[in-house]
Amino acid sequence: GAFRTGRFDYTFSLNSDEKCFAEALDRTDFVTWWFRNPEKKRYAVRVVRGDHKNHFYPDFVVCLSHIPGDKPVQRLVETKHDIKDAVRKARHTPPEYGKVLFLTKDGGRYYIINPDGGIGDEVDFSDLEAMREEFKRTIPTIL
């Protein structure tokens, strides 16, 4: 038979911040699984945006236990450089996933972006407990 190759689909590639976050997810014991959520694929997780008709595709779908021993739940994470864009995208919370967690890098450290656009708690990629705590505060309404 013939050997065939296809084009690489860059929607699954990771930038440096996403790669660091993905490696942190791999090391975390309360994360059951995760995947890179591709943009504009039929099967991708998309969120209705609050500011216009287009959808937004968070970078990661992360299945985690909010409390040790609890059933793991799927949540959404987006790494952003543009805080204003994160605030616009955060205007809609999907009930199945709960509030999307937005992370930004500032001065070499990663922080949660608050709903008002302010910088929240630091998220240390060697210990994602701050991320877990933020997710506990925003558990989805549909479980």
PDB file of all heavy atoms in Angstrom, residues 103-125:
ATOM      1  N   LEU A 103      -6.608  32.456  33.207  1.00  0.00           N
ATOM      2  CA  LEU A 103      -5.283  32.644  33.778  1.00  0.00           C
ATOM      3  C   LEU A 103      -4.490  33.609  32.913  1.00  0.00           C
ATOM      4  O   LEU A 103      -4.610  33.591  31.687  1.00  0.00           O
ATOM      5  CB  LEU A 103      -4.523  31.323  33.838  1.00  0.00           C
ATOM      6  CG  LEU A 103      -5.101  30.212  34.697  1.00  0.00           C
ATOM      7  CD1 LEU A 103      -4.276  28.940  34.532  1.00  0.00           C
ATOM      8  CD2 LEU A 103      -5.150  30.632  36.150  1.00  0.00           C
ATOM      9  N   THR A 104      -3.670  34.436  33.562  1.00  0.00           N
ATOM     10  CA  THR A 104      -2.792  35.343  32.827  1.00  0.00           C
ATOM     11  C   THR A 104      -1.415  35.325  33.461  1.00  0.00           C
ATOM     12  O   THR A 104      -1.272  35.021  34.651  1.00  0.00           O
ATOM     13  CB  THR A 104      -3.357  36.774  32.795  1.00  0.00           C
ATOM     14  OG1 THR A 104      -2.624  37.546  31.847  1.00  0.00           O
ATOM     15  CG2 THR A 104      -3.307  37.454  34.150  1.00  0.00           C
ATOM     16  N   LYS A 105      -0.418  35.647  32.677  1.00  0.00           N
ATOM     17  CA  LYS A 105       0.962  35.694  33.158  1.00  0.00           C
ATOM     18  C   LYS A 105       1.357  37.148  33.371  1.00  0.00           C
ATOM     19  O   LYS A 105       1.111  37.999  32.516  1.00  0.00           O
ATOM     20  CB  LYS A 105       1.889  35.040  32.140  1.00  0.00           C
ATOM     21  CG  LYS A 105       3.304  34.855  32.619  1.00  0.00           C
ATOM     22  CD  LYS A 105       4.087  34.072  31.581  1.00  0.00           C
ATOM     23  CE  LYS A 105       5.503  33.812  32.021  1.00  0.00           C
ATOM     24  NZ  LYS A 105       6.238  33.068  30.977  1.00  0.00           N
ATOM     25  N   ASP A 106       1.949  37.419  34.528  1.00  0.00           N
ATOM     26  CA  ASP A 106       2.405  38.768  34.844  1.00  0.00           C
ATOM     27  C   ASP A 106       3.693  38.647  35.640  1.00  0.00           C
ATOM     28  O   ASP A 106       3.715  38.012  36.702  1.00  0.00           O
ATOM     29  CB  ASP A 106       1.334  39.514  35.648  1.00  0.00           C
ATOM     30  CG  ASP A 106       1.702  40.968  35.897  1.00  0.00           C
ATOM     31  OD1 ASP A 106       2.312  41.604  35.015  1.00  0.00           O
ATOM     32  OD2 ASP A 106       1.391  41.471  36.996  1.00  0.00           O
ATOM     33  N   GLY A 107       4.755  39.233  35.124  1.00  0.00           N
ATOM     34  CA  GLY A 107       6.036  39.185  35.825  1.00  0.00           C
ATOM     35  C   GLY A 107       6.564  37.776  36.026  1.00  0.00           C
ATOM     36  O   GLY A 107       7.182  37.488  37.046  1.00  0.00           O
ATOM     37  N   GLY A 108       6.286  36.879  35.082  1.00  0.00           N
ATOM     38  CA  GLY A 108       6.789  35.520  35.175  1.00  0.00           C
ATOM     39  C   GLY A 108       5.942  34.595  36.039  1.00  0.00           C
ATOM     40  O   GLY A 108       6.269  33.426  36.188  1.00  0.00           O
ATOM     41  N   ARG A 109       4.865  35.121  36.599  1.00  0.00           N
ATOM     42  CA  ARG A 109       3.969  34.312  37.436  1.00  0.00           C
ATOM     43  C   ARG A 109       2.581  34.294  36.814  1.00  0.00           C
ATOM     44  O   ARG A 109       2.208  35.199  36.072  1.00  0.00           O
ATOM     45  CB  ARG A 109       3.894  34.888  38.839  1.00  0.00           C
ATOM     46  CG  ARG A 109       5.226  34.806  39.561  1.00  0.00           C
ATOM     47  CD  ARG A 109       5.088  35.283  40.969  1.00  0.00           C
ATOM     48  NE  ARG A 109       6.319  35.006  41.679  1.00  0.00           N
ATOM     49  CZ  ARG A 109       6.701  35.660  42.735  1.00  0.00           C
ATOM     50  NH1 ARG A 109       5.956  36.625  43.226  1.00  0.00           N
ATOM     51  NH2 ARG A 109       7.823  35.346  43.337  1.00  0.00           N
ATOM     52  N   TYR A 110       1.806  33.276  37.153  1.00  0.00           N
ATOM     53  CA  TYR A 110       0.460  33.116  36.616  1.00  0.00           C
ATOM     54  C   TYR A 110      -0.571  33.469  37.688  1.00  0.00           C
ATOM     55  O   TYR A 110      -0.404  33.116  38.856  1.00  0.00           O
ATOM     56  CB  TYR A 110       0.246  31.687  36.124  1.00  0.00           C
ATOM     57  CG  TYR A 110       1.143  31.354  34.960  1.00  0.00           C
ATOM     58  CD1 TYR A 110       2.408  30.826  35.157  1.00  0.00           C
ATOM     59  CD2 TYR A 110       0.734  31.601  33.652  1.00  0.00           C
ATOM     60  CE1 TYR A 110       3.238  30.539  34.088  1.00  0.00           C
ATOM     61  CE2 TYR A 110       1.559  31.316  32.586  1.00  0.00           C
ATOM     62  CZ  TYR A 110       2.807  30.795  32.807  1.00  0.00           C
ATOM     63  OH  TYR A 110       3.625  30.520  31.746  1.00  0.00           O
ATOM     64  N   TYR A 111      -1.626  34.153  37.238  1.00  0.00           N
ATOM     65  CA  TYR A 111      -2.666  34.614  38.155  1.00  0.00           C
ATOM     66  C   TYR A 111      -4.046  34.339  37.572  1.00  0.00           C
ATOM     67  O   TYR A 111      -4.237  34.317  36.353  1.00  0.00           O
ATOM     68  CB  TYR A 111      -2.541  36.130  38.390  1.00  0.00           C
ATOM     69  CG  TYR A 111      -1.260  36.517  39.060  1.00  0.00           C
ATOM     70  CD1 TYR A 111      -0.139  36.858  38.308  1.00  0.00           C
ATOM     71  CD2 TYR A 111      -1.162  36.551  40.437  1.00  0.00           C
ATOM     72  CE1 TYR A 111       1.052  37.204  38.922  1.00  0.00           C
ATOM     73  CE2 TYR A 111       0.027  36.898  41.066  1.00  0.00           C
ATOM     74  CZ  TYR A 111       1.127  37.225  40.300  1.00  0.00           C
ATOM     75  OH  TYR A 111       2.307  37.565  40.912  1.00  0.00           O
ATOM     76  N   ILE A 112      -5.007  34.185  38.477  1.00  0.00           N
ATOM     77  CA  ILE A 112      -6.404  34.091  38.081  1.00  0.00           C
ATOM     78  C   ILE A 112      -6.882  35.492  37.751  1.00  0.00           C
ATOM     79  O   ILE A 112      -6.556  36.450  38.457  1.00  0.00           O
ATOM     80  CB  ILE A 112      -7.246  33.489  39.228  1.00  0.00           C
ATOM     81  CG1 ILE A 112      -6.821  32.026  39.462  1.00  0.00           C
ATOM     82  CG2 ILE A 112      -8.741  33.588  38.926  1.00  0.00           C
ATOM     83  CD1 ILE A 112      -7.381  31.411  40.722  1.00  0.00           C
ATOM     84  N   ILE A 113      -7.649  35.629  36.682  1.00  0.00           N
ATOM     85  CA  ILE A 113      -8.245  36.915  36.331  1.00  0.00           C
ATOM     86  C   ILE A 113      -9.621  36.972  36.996  1.00  0.00           C
ATOM     87  O   ILE A 113     -10.462  36.102  36.792  1.00  0.00           O
ATOM     88  CB  ILE A 113      -8.392  37.084  34.805  1.00  0.00           C
ATOM     89  CG1 ILE A 113      -7.019  36.993  34.120  1.00  0.00           C
ATOM     90  CG2 ILE A 113      -9.080  38.414  34.477  1.00  0.00           C
ATOM     91  CD1 ILE A 113      -7.100  36.969  32.603  1.00  0.00           C
ATOM     92  N   ASN A 114      -9.827  37.991  37.819  1.00  0.00           N
ATOM     93  CA  ASN A 114     -11.108  38.181  38.496  1.00  0.00           C
ATOM     94  C   ASN A 114     -12.169  38.647  37.494  1.00  0.00           C
ATOM     95  O   ASN A 114     -11.843  39.220  36.457  1.00  0.00           O
ATOM     96  CB  ASN A 114     -10.973  39.214  39.614  1.00  0.00           C
ATOM     97  CG  ASN A 114     -10.104  38.717  40.743  1.00  0.00           C
ATOM     98  OD1 ASN A 114     -10.038  37.525  41.014  1.00  0.00           O
ATOM     99  ND2 ASN A 114      -9.415  39.633  41.404  1.00  0.00           N
ATOM    100  N   PRO A 115     -13.449  38.449  37.825  1.00  0.00           N
ATOM    101  CA  PRO A 115     -14.525  38.880  36.914  1.00  0.00           C
ATOM    102  C   PRO A 115     -14.491  40.366  36.564  1.00  0.00           C
ATOM    103  O   PRO A 115     -14.911  40.756  35.488  1.00  0.00           O
ATOM    104  CB  PRO A 115     -15.798  38.536  37.681  1.00  0.00           C
ATOM    105  CG  PRO A 115     -15.404  37.435  38.605  1.00  0.00           C
ATOM    106  CD  PRO A 115     -13.978  37.724  38.977  1.00  0.00           C
ATOM    107  N   ASP A 116     -13.939  41.201  37.457  1.00  0.00           N
ATOM    108  CA  ASP A 116     -13.868  42.639  37.195  1.00  0.00           C
ATOM    109  C   ASP A 116     -12.631  43.024  36.379  1.00  0.00           C
ATOM    110  O   ASP A 116     -12.407  44.200  36.096  1.00  0.00           O
ATOM    111  CB  ASP A 116     -13.903  43.421  38.499  1.00  0.00           C
ATOM    112  CG  ASP A 116     -12.677  43.186  39.381  1.00  0.00           C
ATOM    113  OD1 ASP A 116     -11.788  42.379  39.005  1.00  0.00           O
ATOM    114  OD2 ASP A 116     -12.607  43.803  40.462  1.00  0.00           O
ATOM    115  N   GLY A 117     -11.806  42.040  36.019  1.00  0.00           N
ATOM    116  CA  GLY A 117     -10.604  42.308  35.242  1.00  0.00           C
ATOM    117  C   GLY A 117      -9.361  42.486  36.094  1.00  0.00           C
ATOM    118  O   GLY A 117      -8.272  42.649  35.559  1.00  0.00           O
ATOM    119  N   GLY A 118      -9.516  42.443  37.402  1.00  0.00           N
ATOM    120  CA  GLY A 118      -8.359  42.549  38.284  1.00  0.00           C
ATOM    121  C   GLY A 118      -7.593  41.235  38.356  1.00  0.00           C
ATOM    122  O   GLY A 118      -8.088  40.180  37.974  1.00  0.00           O
ATOM    123  N   ILE A 119      -6.383  41.329  38.864  1.00  0.00           N
ATOM    124  CA  ILE A 119      -5.542  40.154  39.040  1.00  0.00           C
ATOM    125  C   ILE A 119      -5.894  39.523  40.385  1.00  0.00           C
ATOM    126  O   ILE A 119      -5.893  40.189  41.410  1.00  0.00           O
ATOM    127  CB  ILE A 119      -4.047  40.534  38.993  1.00  0.00           C
ATOM    128  CG1 ILE A 119      -3.697  41.171  37.649  1.00  0.00           C
ATOM    129  CG2 ILE A 119      -3.176  39.324  39.270  1.00  0.00           C
ATOM    130  CD1 ILE A 119      -3.839  40.252  36.469  1.00  0.00           C
ATOM    131  N   GLY A 120      -6.185  38.218  40.346  1.00  0.00           N
ATOM    132  CA  GLY A 120      -6.564  37.494  41.556  1.00  0.00           C
ATOM    133  C   GLY A 120      -5.404  36.706  42.130  1.00  0.00           C
ATOM    134  O   GLY A 120      -4.243  37.095  42.018  1.00  0.00           O
ATOM    135  N   ASP A 121      -5.727  35.569  42.703  1.00  0.00           N
ATOM    136  CA  ASP A 121      -4.734  34.722  43.353  1.00  0.00           C
ATOM    137  C   ASP A 121      -3.707  34.197  42.374  1.00  0.00           C
ATOM    138  O   ASP A 121      -4.023  33.917  41.210  1.00  0.00           O
ATOM    139  CB  ASP A 121      -5.414  33.522  44.024  1.00  0.00           C
ATOM    140  CG  ASP A 121      -6.292  33.928  45.199  1.00  0.00           C
ATOM    141  OD1 ASP A 121      -6.060  35.007  45.777  1.00  0.00           O
ATOM    142  OD2 ASP A 121      -7.215  33.157  45.532  1.00  0.00           O
ATOM    143  N   GLU A 122      -2.498  34.033  42.867  1.00  0.00           N
ATOM    144  CA  GLU A 122      -1.441  33.421  42.063  1.00  0.00           C
ATOM    145  C   GLU A 122      -1.706  31.927  41.944  1.00  0.00           C
ATOM    146  O   GLU A 122      -2.170  31.286  42.888  1.00  0.00           O
ATOM    147  CB  GLU A 122      -0.074  33.651  42.697  1.00  0.00           C
ATOM    148  CG  GLU A 122       1.061  33.048  41.898  1.00  0.00           C
ATOM    149  CD  GLU A 122       2.430  33.283  42.504  1.00  0.00           C
ATOM    150  OE1 GLU A 122       2.550  34.018  43.499  1.00  0.00           O
ATOM    151  OE2 GLU A 122       3.391  32.699  41.961  1.00  0.00           O
ATOM    152  N   VAL A 123      -1.422  31.380  40.772  1.00  0.00           N
ATOM    153  CA  VAL A 123      -1.517  29.943  40.540  1.00  0.00           C
ATOM    154  C   VAL A 123      -0.103  29.442  40.276  1.00  0.00           C
ATOM    155  O   VAL A 123       0.495  29.751  39.247  1.00  0.00           O
ATOM    156  CB  VAL A 123      -2.445  29.611  39.351  1.00  0.00           C
ATOM    157  CG1 VAL A 123      -2.452  28.115  39.078  1.00  0.00           C
ATOM    158  CG2 VAL A 123      -3.849  30.110  39.630  1.00  0.00           C
ATOM    159  N   ASP A 124       0.422  28.709  41.258  1.00  0.00           N
ATOM    160  CA  ASP A 124       1.756  28.134  41.155  1.00  0.00           C
ATOM    161  C   ASP A 124       1.641  26.833  40.373  1.00  0.00           C
ATOM    162  O   ASP A 124       0.946  25.908  40.795  1.00  0.00           O
ATOM    163  CB  ASP A 124       2.294  27.884  42.561  1.00  0.00           C
ATOM    164  CG  ASP A 124       3.691  27.302  42.584  1.00  0.00           C
ATOM    165  OD1 ASP A 124       4.237  26.973  41.504  1.00  0.00           O
ATOM    166  OD2 ASP A 124       4.240  27.173  43.687  1.00  0.00           O
ATOM    167  N   PHE A 125       2.313  26.729  39.246  1.00  0.00           N
ATOM    168  CA  PHE A 125       2.193  25.549  38.402  1.00  0.00           C
ATOM    169  C   PHE A 125       2.836  24.311  39.021  1.00  0.00           C
ATOM    170  O   PHE A 125       2.648  23.203  38.532  1.00  0.00           O
ATOM    171  CB  PHE A 125       2.754  25.809  37.010  1.00  0.00           C
ATOM    172  CG  PHE A 125       1.829  26.606  36.128  1.00  0.00           C
ATOM    173  CD1 PHE A 125       0.663  27.175  36.599  1.00  0.00           C
ATOM    174  CD2 PHE A 125       2.136  26.787  34.793  1.00  0.00           C
ATOM    175  CE1 PHE A 125      -0.196  27.895  35.782  1.00  0.00           C
ATOM    176  CE2 PHE A 125       1.291  27.512  33.955  1.00  0.00           C
ATOM    177  CZ  PHE A 125       0.126  28.059  34.455  1.00  0.00           C
TER     178      PHE A 125
END
